[in-house]
Amino acid sequence: MDQEPSSFETSEMLGRFLASTHLVPESWKVCARANVMGNGGFMCDEVDGVVYVGFSGVVMGDGLDLFCGKMVGLSDDGVFHGLVKNGDDDGDLVMVDAGLLRLFFSLLNTPVFQNQMFEIKKKQKPVVFTGHSIGGAIAALASLWLLSYLQSISSPPSVLCFTFGSPLIGNESLSRAIQQQRWSGNFCHIVSKHDIIPRLLFAPVAPIITHVHTLLKSCHLTMNSPFFIRDLGPQLTEHEKNELFQFVLHYLEVAIRSLEVGTRSLPFVPFGNFMFCSSDGAVCIEDTKAIVRMLCLMFASGSPSSCIDDHLEYESYVEKISLQYLKRDDEELYESNTYEAGVTLASQSVSSGHLRNGASRRNFKVYLNREKLGKFWDNVIDMLEKNQLPHDFHKRAKWVYASHSYQLLVEPLDIAEYYRSDAHRIKGHYLKDGREKRYKILDKWWRERDISGENDNNYNSGRRSKFASLTQDSCFWAKVEEARECVENVKNERDPLRLSVLWTSIEKFNQYSRGMIERKEVSTDVLAKNSSYMVLVEELRGLTNTWCF
Amino acid sequence: MGGTLGESCGISEDVIIKASSLAVNSQNNATGYKMELGPQETFFAFDGSWSVQDFYNHEPFGETKADIALFPSLKSIGNNEVAMINEGFFLKFQSILQTTFQAEVEKAINEGKPIIFTGHSSGGPVAILAAVWYLAKHTRSGGHAPCKCVTFGSPLVGNSIFTHALNRENWSRFFLHFVGKYDIVPRITLAPFSSIRNEFAHILDFFNPQSRNFQNPLIQTSQEASTLFKTVLMNASTVASHTACNLMGSTNSLLETISSFVQLSPYRPSGTFIFCTGNGKLISVKNSNAVLQILFYSSQPADEDDLRIAASRSLYMAMAYHNELKEILLGMQDVVYLEDETEIPLSSNSSALGDTASVNTALKDLGLSTRARLCLRAAQAFEKQKLQNQSTIELKKPSIMKMHNVIAEYQRACDDRKIGYYDAFKIQKGNEDFEANVKRLELAGIWDEIVEMLKRYELPDGFESNDDWIKLGTKFRKLVEPLDIANYYRHSKDEDTGTYLREGGRPKRYKYTQRWREHAQKLDEGGSSETTFWAKVEELKRKTYEKTKEQVIDLEKQVNEWVEKEEIGKDVFLEKSTFVEWWKTLPQKHRSESCLKVHLANYMQ
């Protein structure tokens, strides 16, 4: 129990490793050439003993109409037998997008493709399947097909799949089957910061299918043109772009929530690794929940037009990340702990800034690891309750402080998510009805800690001269949210008795929050312009003025 | 921390400077090296060579298995993996061995002066191989004083097993490698030959005193120089980040898949590296993984640098050792020692004081960013984890010894009953046999765990040369392996899967511990195979005498020797023993001529 769950965060280092190889730029080259070939094209190339097969992402004519988010179960006809045999009952049926599967099958059945695959199997060389946009989905299906086929062969060649801005292709059973086959490591989905296409199928696309098709058609015209000319063909209006963006964003948030609660399963679920790129670098993530969170988090920082532009920016992202090694980074960090520093590097790499409540780095960390840390503390508490830990464990300074700083770091984000997902409307306010048991127990440890030696250690030994790096009450934001509701209610309340109750609680919050600020027990993000707290204070000031006069 | 470089590494500054002058100037000697008698030392300086073939004997990285006859220590012991070394430089060394070299070395030994092997740039690898050869032949086997090896801007010569072996033999301390912050030569073989095919030969001319392009400034600023620099840097980045992911314990499955798609250089640093920052500072690093990270990160151009300037500097730095070192070593030395315990500040803005502040300044001078510092921490943590693993195992020593005693006691009790413990165990009649079997299984659990860690190189490099463990392993093998064999044949496992001694039949815990002893005592392979005696008997027993006559005679000879040296107990000669029972079935003629007849006189009839 002496060790942290892990003392290094490696998603960024893995991104660096991948970016320093030829694989990504070579894959992109083949993709771009395949795109120019147009409808249903693919092309092969061999570089340094690796065979690259790029699938065109350009789908013209009625081929595109097939792509409408409908799913179909994979049948056990031998093409994907590696995946299908695991589905016993209907609930486990492995399903993929019907349109994408049709596109793949129509390619698979052509003699020219079959000949190429025959040659490749004969060569016994490592193969990379790759594609941009819809081509990425075809590449993924082709990889699954080849991996299924190779199962029956001893010492098969290695298969790797790089997709660029590919839509999701299958359901949770597919994702699970791929994990069971240990194929996750064969897939790397490269997703640029705001690209809407990889996020599209979290939403039921039927209501906006004409928007989607207009968008794809125009993108495909650009991808197909040798000089990558933008804005060809009919375009979405600004209003339509905005509709599309908001629609997808909404369903991304729903997706996170349902992953969180685990009640409703998503129609489409990511699998394999995701490499998120920005012009500042790349991170590589394998955990499904973390992938969905990152997809949402980064998308939310985009805009209706950047989410479309980013689908066509892979060339420049690939170039930027693959030249990273040439430049010494001059960033300066203040973390003393290796894990935190790794998280910071990762969050800088994807510049996931511009988030509500500031503190992007912290957000990133928590998105990656809240789950892991939460489970860790749940285990600790569980073991303590079952007497598997020393009886005075929860009073040992090291653990008390570790648990407290965990709480200060993570609970505010739980609160933010709680209110962002409107859980308070269903369950009630966080403090009363939404708070995890572990936080209550950690609170108790903190209150009961042995403080006799603290003055020697300079803990709380005097007034703070600077604002705290973490707000010292982990429930601060929950209290802000409750006060905000009071303020809202005051506006509409006419009954004097209830009004006075509301004002009492507002006043109580006022005193509490001022005290926190005077003692500098809040972090600076509380006082940042436009923070929920500052907005509330403004509103309150307006409200008091109206009430006084 | 530290003191002067001379004090910390046991070579005086004068000797280092002298070596650098000899190394830089050693070229074009008919023998490939030059010997020079200093006032106190004998120097052997090896010529640099400027042919592509010497760096890359073949694609992609030109490595080959080390010749175990020349370098008996260049392997891991339990795993028995042979180190890979650069074949081109090895061939150069091999041809030097054919010259007056060996005789001159012996002469130098007789004169009793310490021997220094040295080389600059491509002369470095030959000096390193010469030193490894010397240490094996004259120090480990000949009992002579160890040599020293000092190189300047040397390319890497061996893989991670090479590094492991040098650490295990405790030889790393004899190797001192000076590397300029930007010098490209030590980094070159991190790139596969195919990636630099078009530029490399051209750039080598710049270093070659015989070429008319020697130190030609036009080459320094050429397009080829930029391209070479860029390619080498990119490959260094691949190797460094791949290693860093592993050091940091990444479990991402993509890491493994990608590794089979890219050509990763096998070469790793070994010995002590002294990085010269170019502004008068020296930074000494022993941790091989940390050195690898520094090799990449310190050569990254800063933001404002033009690639051409960086490339030009990377060539120039390769030629500047002698003058730079002379200035630093004779002046006020500024040396920082990065040990595994050294605290590494993650930010160069760290406000730490004292030693940490001077470490911080040193890292800043090397141009190490937060990311680089994280990698250094990972390299440190990796070594610390190995030590941690060892101390976990050390805690089990007392219970291992206790269980050994139980089995030794069992052996004695059987002796008292005039039955060998091998046979008693095979019969498994009483409770004490059962108890012994329980202990056998418990011990197997502990030793298998150790073997697993060794397989993954998760214990400190020195573990397999630790006397206590070698002794403990030998004792374990002598006491318990006969029981494993007894168990094997009691259950007739040979009929299911083949004999105990077949490939894969004998447990690794015995193979590993046998190799430990054989290596420590410089025995031949199989020189300590006495614990498989019973398995050999069981095998011969199942065959006819006519077909195995020679094997029988061999075994008898061995038994005679083993009993004499007390490697095996006399209980093998007890009346009811499997051995005696079998021996009695051998033809009368054979028995009367057997070398064992003194011991087995009772059973002649």
Side-chain angles (χ1 to χ4, degrees):
Chain A
M1 299 283 319
D2 258 328
Q3 275 182 322
E4 287 179 59
S6 160
S7 42
F8 293 97
E9 161 53 47
T10 56
S11 59
E12 197 266 344
M13 193 48 76
L14 191 60
R16 285 245 147 190
F17 168 57
L18 210 53
S20 75
T21 69
H22 284 302
L23 289 167
V24 180
E26 291 296 345
S27 298
W28 174 255
K29 252 193 251 169
V30 183
C31 286
R33 279 156 66 196
N35 280 344
V36 176
M37 292 172 70
N39 214 359
F42 73 95
M43 68 160 307
C44 300
D45 197 3
E46 191 182 319
V47 186
D48 285 337
V50 176
V51 181
Y52 293 83
V53 185
F55 296 91
S56 168
V58 176
V59 180
M60 303 285 193
D62 41 352
L64 202 53
D65 297 339
L66 295 170
F67 181 63
C68 56
K70 273 201 198 107
M71 299 191 100
V72 60
L74 285 184
S75 61
D76 191 8
D77 53 7
V79 177
F80 294 108
H81 67 261
L83 296 170
V84 184
K85 65 184 172 206
N86 296 310
D88 304 328
D89 50 72
D90 284 353
D92 271 338
L93 194 59
V94 174
M95 302 202 4
V96 297
D97 183 274
L100 296 172
L101 188 66
R102 280 274 289 279
L103 287 170
F104 170 66
F105 275 139
S106 58
L107 183 71
L108 184 65
N109 293 327
T110 59
V112 49
F113 183 76
Q114 282 176 356
N115 285 340
Q116 277 291 354
M117 290 303 115
F118 180 75
E119 288 297 315
I120 284 170
K121 288 181 215 158
K122 215 171 60 183
K123 273 187 190 160
Q124 286 283 310
K125 289 196 172 159
V127 194
V128 173
F129 282 144
T130 183
H132 176 207
S133 192
I134 304 268
I138 309 287
L141 287 167
S143 306
L144 289 173
W145 161 74
L146 189 63
L147 285 165
S148 294
Y149 169 83
L150 292 174
Q151 272 186 315
S152 53
I153 290 182
S154 60
S155 72
S158 315
V159 179
L160 190 54
C161 175
F162 280 110
T163 71
F164 297 87
S166 163
L168 298 175
I169 65 167
N171 64 354
E172 198 183 343
S173 299
L174 176 73
S175 170
R176 211 178 313 124
I178 288 171
Q179 270 172 28
Q180 279 166 0
Q181 290 283 3
R182 305 195 172 280
W183 288 345
S184 300
N186 299 76
F187 292 87
C188 180
H189 304 288
I190 298 170
V191 172
S192 62
K193 231 163 117 179
H194 302 148
D195 186 355
I196 194 168
I197 302 298
R199 282 118 173 155
L200 199 60
L201 290 179
F202 283 113
V205 287
I208 47 156
I209 197 67
T210 49
H211 287 22
V212 172
H213 285 168
T214 312
L215 167 67
L216 281 173
K217 270 177 200 154
S218 140
C219 284
H220 288 179
L221 284 172
T222 303
M223 286 153 58
N224 190 223
S225 71
F227 301 104
F228 218 73
I229 302 159
R230 303 270 179 147
D231 300 332
L232 295 171
Q235 301 291 309
L236 289 178
T237 64
E238 292 305 313
H239 176 71
E240 288 167 331
K241 284 181 186 172
N242 191 39
E243 271 179 353
L244 190 59
F245 178 74
Q246 295 302 343
F247 189 75
V248 172
L249 181 59
H250 171 77
Y251 280 98
L252 267 172
E253 283 173 353
V254 171
I256 291 194
R257 217 174 308 149
S258 48
L259 274 179
E260 208 66 37
V261 188
T263 45
R264 206 158 48 95
S265 66
L266 299 168
F268 286 88
V269 173
F271 63 85
N273 280 269
F274 272 65
M275 178 154 152
F276 293 97
C277 323
S278 76
S279 14
D280 300 315
V283 298
C284 230
I285 298 175
E286 195 173 23
D287 177 73
T288 310
K289 281 189 187 175
I291 289 169
V292 178
R293 290 198 183 108
M294 286 293 294
L295 282 167
C296 177
L297 186 69
M298 294 177 82
F299 189 70
S301 72
S303 69
S305 59
S306 73
C307 78
I308 294 171
D309 293 341
D310 250 13
H311 187 56
L312 299 171
E313 286 295 342
Y314 284 96
E315 176 124 4
S316 100
Y317 283 124
V318 167
E319 195 191 326
K320 278 183 184 138
I321 64 162
S322 59
L323 289 178
Q324 269 181 326
Y325 70 90
L326 274 179
K327 220 177 79 183
R328 187 191 307 158
D329 354 84
D330 40 12
E331 87 288 353
E332 280 312 331
L333 307 175
Y334 295 89
E335 278 74 18
S336 56
N337 158 310
T338 52
Y339 187 83
E340 303 261 322
V343 169
T344 305
L345 289 175
S347 65
Q348 283 176 351
S349 279
V350 293
S351 348
S352 53
H354 336 295
L355 271 163
R356 199 152 72 140
N357 296 349
S360 67
R361 188 190 67 82
R362 225 173 300 147
N363 264 317
F364 185 87
K365 174 194 182 114
V366 168
Y367 272 90
L368 275 179
N369 280 288
R370 189 166 64 195
E371 207 80 8
K372 204 155 95 187
L373 284 167
K375 274 198 196 117
F376 173 76
W377 287 107
D378 278 346
N379 274 338
V380 169
I381 291 166
D382 193 45
M383 286 170 78
L384 191 67
E385 283 177 351
K386 287 185 190 146
N387 286 327
Q388 287 166 339
L389 292 174
H391 68 284
D392 62 342
F393 171 86
H394 58 290
K395 291 194 175 158
R396 292 183 184 178
K398 179 182 161 187
W399 284 96
V400 175
Y401 287 112
S403 63
H404 188 60
S405 66
Y406 156 75
Q407 190 178 357
L408 293 183
L409 192 65
V410 179
E411 192 169 11
L413 282 124
D414 275 359
I415 296 170
E417 193 132 306
Y418 191 81
Y419 284 97
R420 186 158 46 208
S421 61
D422 284 345
H424 62 294
R425 300 206 194 286
I426 306 156
K427 289 202 245 170
H429 273 294
Y430 177 83
L431 278 174
K432 196 161 155 283
D433 303 302
R435 203 168 182 220
E436 297 266 3
K437 177 178 152 207
R438 65 169 169 272
Y439 291 130
K440 293 180 190 164
I441 292 176
L442 298 184
D443 253 357
K444 194 161 152 262
W445 291 6
W446 180 247
R447 279 199 309 273
E448 291 172 357
R449 74 193 186 276
D450 181 9
I451 41 176
S452 55
E454 277 196 353
N455 289 339
D456 307 338
N457 296 332
N458 273 332
Y459 278 109
N460 299 347
S461 63
R463 292 182 63 85
R464 289 173 183 275
S465 62
K466 279 193 287 190
F467 282 106
S469 63
L470 290 169
T471 299
Q472 293 298 297
D473 179 356
S474 60
C475 290
F476 181 81
W477 292 107
K479 291 173 187 165
V480 172
E481 292 289 348
E482 284 185 24
R484 199 157 73 171
E485 195 187 64
C486 291
V487 170
E488 282 307 309
N489 291 346
V490 163
K491 289 181 190 162
N492 305 320
E493 190 56 67
R494 291 287 168 261
D495 177 45
L497 197 64
R498 271 189 237 143
L499 265 175
S500 87
V501 173
L502 285 172
W503 276 113
T504 315
S505 40
I506 291 174
E507 187 44 37
K508 227 170 106 191
F509 171 76
N510 243 339
Q511 276 176 12
Y512 155 80
S513 61
R514 274 197 215 128
M516 290 283 289
I517 293 168
E518 263 165 37
R519 291 189 302 273
K520 297 196 161 59
E521 284 174 3
V522 294
S523 69
T524 47
D525 59 334
V526 170
L527 300 172
K529 215 174 146 192
N530 293 334
S531 83
S532 313
Y533 175 73
M534 292 310 276
V535 172
L536 179 68
V537 169
E538 269 311 305
E539 210 168 314
L540 207 53
R541 193 172 299 148
L543 209 57
T544 352
N545 287 344
T546 8
W547 273 83
C548 290
F549 305 105
Chain B
M1 315 209 319
T4 68
L5 192 64
E7 288 160 10
S8 79
C9 64
I11 310 177
S12 78
E13 281 76 9
D14 290 338
V15 171
I16 294 173
I17 293 167
K18 171 96 179 161
S20 73
S21 147
L22 289 170
V24 170
N25 294 313
S26 177
Q27 44 195 276
N28 239 3
N29 294 297
T31 48
Y33 73 95
K34 184 167 190 274
M35 187 191 76
E36 177 140 334
L37 290 166
Q40 314 281 332
E41 296 82 6
T42 310
F43 292 90
F44 288 87
F46 295 88
D47 294 2
S49 64
W50 313 109
S51 89
V52 172
Q53 278 283 308
D54 292 333
F55 283 79
Y56 296 96
N57 184 269
H58 52 81
E59 294 212 31
F61 294 101
E63 77 274 31
T64 184
K65 263 192 186 173
D67 179 353
I68 282 297
L70 268 184
F71 308 109
S73 287
L74 287 188
K75 60 177 183 189
S76 56
I77 298 174
N79 292 332
N80 206 14
E81 270 183 276
V82 177
M84 303 300 279
I85 56 176
N86 185 305
E87 185 164 18
F89 294 122
F90 169 66
L91 291 174
K92 292 219 81 171
F93 171 67
Q94 215 177 24
S95 68
I96 286 171
L97 275 181
Q98 311 301 319
T99 66
T100 49
F101 176 71
Q102 302 208 43
E104 288 204 280
V105 168
E106 264 158 53
K107 212 172 118 209
I109 292 172
N110 292 334
E111 282 172 15
K113 289 183 180 174
I115 293 175
I116 315 279
F117 295 105
T118 184
H120 168 239
S121 197
S122 50
V126 186
I128 294 169
L129 293 174
V132 176
W133 165 82
Y134 176 95
L135 288 166
K137 181 167 178 182
H138 293 295
T139 305
R140 189 165 193 273
S141 298
H144 295 291
C147 62
K148 294 272 162 59
C149 175
V150 188
T151 72
F152 307 90
S154 166
L156 303 178
V157 73
N159 70 348
S160 60
I161 307 282
F162 183 88
T163 309
H164 165 83
L166 256 50
N167 285 338
R168 183 195 63 232
E169 300 297 325
N170 201 8
W171 289 348
S172 295
R173 62 206 159 110
F174 304 132
F175 293 80
L176 210 54
H177 308 299
F178 289 87
V179 167
K181 179 179 169 190
Y182 299 111
D183 181 358
I184 196 162
V185 179
R187 285 131 174 139
I188 281 186
T189 49
L190 295 177
F193 177 57
S194 58
S195 70
I196 56 172
R197 187 194 318 271
N198 299 329
E199 298 86 20
F200 190 40
H202 184 66
I203 299 302
L204 277 176
D205 279 350
F206 177 83
F207 301 121
N208 183 357
Q210 267 71 54
S211 161
R212 60 192 168 85
N213 278 329
F214 181 54
Q215 302 201 356
N216 180 349
L218 287 178
I219 291 201
Q220 248 177 296
T221 52
S222 63
Q223 183 57 44
E224 281 90 346
S226 291
T227 310
L228 179 81
F229 176 75
K230 222 172 125 176
T231 312
V232 170
L233 195 62
M234 170 175 163
N235 282 285
S237 163
T238 309
V239 177
S241 53
H242 179 258
T243 308
C245 285
N246 286 323
L247 293 175
M248 292 177 179
S250 168
T251 50
N252 191 306
S253 52
L254 191 60
L255 189 61
E256 212 188 310
T257 318
I258 300 286
S259 308
S260 59
F261 281 80
V262 293
Q263 293 171 320
L264 284 169
S265 171
Y267 298 114
R268 294 293 178 272
S270 59
T272 303
F273 274 66
I274 317 281
F275 286 94
C276 316
T277 59
N279 62 354
K281 289 208 182 118
L282 299 176
I283 293 130
S284 155
V285 194
K286 292 190 184 118
N287 180 322
S288 167
N289 286 312
V291 173
L292 182 70
Q293 300 299 326
I294 296 176
L295 280 175
F296 165 60
Y297 285 104
S298 68
S299 61
Q300 260 187 321
D303 245 3
E304 61 274 15
D305 287 350
D306 181 355
L307 198 59
R308 267 173 206 260
I309 296 174
S312 152
R313 193 171 48 195
S314 79
L315 299 188
Y316 167 75
M317 262 281 209
M319 314 295 288
Y321 286 95
H322 177 60
N323 291 335
E324 190 185 349
L325 283 174
K326 203 161 137 187
E327 201 169 305
I328 301 174
L329 291 176
L330 293 180
M332 286 288 291
Q333 283 186 26
D334 191 348
V335 195
V336 169
Y337 300 87
L338 282 190
E339 307 288 339
D340 286 342
E341 301 75 34
T342 310
E343 189 190 333
I344 293 182
L346 286 178
S347 158
S348 68
N349 290 340
S350 152
S351 54
L353 301 170
D355 284 349
T356 310
S358 64
V359 168
N360 189 31
T361 318
L363 298 179
K364 236 195 249 182
D365 289 332
L366 277 175
L368 301 191
S369 59
T370 296
R371 183 174 288 103
R373 292 160 185 237
L374 261 179
C375 295
L376 294 188
R377 285 235 189 147
Q380 291 180 320
F382 196 71
E383 288 308 311
K384 282 184 203 148
Q385 184 59 49
K386 288 184 183 175
L387 289 172
Q388 177 71 40
N389 292 346
Q390 175 157 1
S391 50
T392 313
I393 289 179
E394 295 287 343
L395 290 178
K396 297 189 176 159
K397 247 185 194 166
S399 73
I400 291 179
M401 292 199 265
K402 224 188 257 169
M403 289 192 271
H404 284 176
N405 288 340
V406 171
I407 292 184
E409 192 46 51
Y410 170 69
Q411 188 180 18
R412 253 190 307 278
C414 291
D415 269 356
D416 292 345
R417 283 163 37 216
K418 293 277 174 255
I419 176 167
Y421 82 136
Y422 174 80
D423 291 287
F425 193 83
K426 214 171 139 186
I427 297 161
Q428 282 283 330
K429 215 161 71 185
N431 192 43
E432 60 282 6
D433 304 314
F434 175 78
E435 286 299 330
N437 200 11
V438 171
K439 292 291 169 249
R440 174 184 74 89
L441 289 168
E442 279 179 45
L443 280 165
I446 298 177
W447 284 94
D448 284 350
E449 197 185 325
I450 296 175
V451 167
E452 272 310 306
M453 288 191 185
L454 286 171
K455 264 199 206 157
R456 298 192 296 260
Y457 295 93
E458 286 173 353
L459 287 172
D461 291 331
F463 185 82
E464 291 183 300
S465 61
N466 178 313
D467 275 342
D468 286 354
W469 279 103
I470 295 172
K471 275 190 200 129
L472 201 60
T474 304
K475 175 139 198 218
F476 161 69
R477 190 161 57 89
K478 290 202 170 175
L479 276 171
V480 190
E481 184 164 18
L483 300 188
D484 262 90
I485 299 169
N487 190 58
Y488 195 89
Y489 285 97
R490 178 174 115 83
H491 294 292
S492 304
K493 286 193 192 169
D494 56 314
E495 288 162 23
D496 306 332
T497 53
T499 64
Y500 179 84
L501 287 173
R502 78 179 197 287
E503 184 74 29
R506 188 183 179 206
K508 288 213 168 66
R509 52 184 181 271
Y510 300 123
K511 290 185 189 165
Y512 278 50
T513 46
Q514 179 180 332
R515 289 188 198 126
W516 294 357
R517 182 180 185 220
E518 285 169 359
H519 182 75
Q521 303 192 351
K522 300 175 207 98
L523 304 172
D524 293 335
E525 195 181 329
S528 176
S529 61
E530 68 282 351
T531 52
T532 59
F533 161 74
W534 287 109
K536 287 177 183 159
V537 173
E538 296 282 359
E539 259 177 54
L540 290 174
K541 201 176 111 181
R542 285 163 175 74
K543 291 175 182 160
T544 59
Y545 172 74
E546 284 68 31
K547 279 188 184 158
T548 55
K549 197 172 162 189
E550 272 153 33
Q551 283 165 272
V552 173
I553 294 172
D554 278 348
L555 181 65
E556 284 176 333
K557 269 191 213 145
Q558 279 185 311
V559 171
N560 205 15
E561 212 182 300
W562 288 335
V563 170
E564 218 162 83
K565 291 187 183 162
E566 296 183 12
E567 297 277 5
I568 54 177
K570 288 203 166 180
D571 59 351
V572 301
F573 299 134
L574 289 171
E575 188 173 359
K576 291 277 182 219
S577 95
T578 305
F579 175 64
V580 170
E581 298 261 300
W582 162 71
W583 194 77
K584 284 196 283 192
T585 68
L586 297 176
Q588 173 77 36
K589 182 169 174 297
H590 172 95
R591 281 182 284 154
S592 61
E593 290 164 5
S594 165
C595 63
L596 290 180
K597 65 183 175 192
V598 195
H599 300 291
L600 296 165
N602 295 343
Y603 319 122
M604 290 300 283
Q605 295 309 311

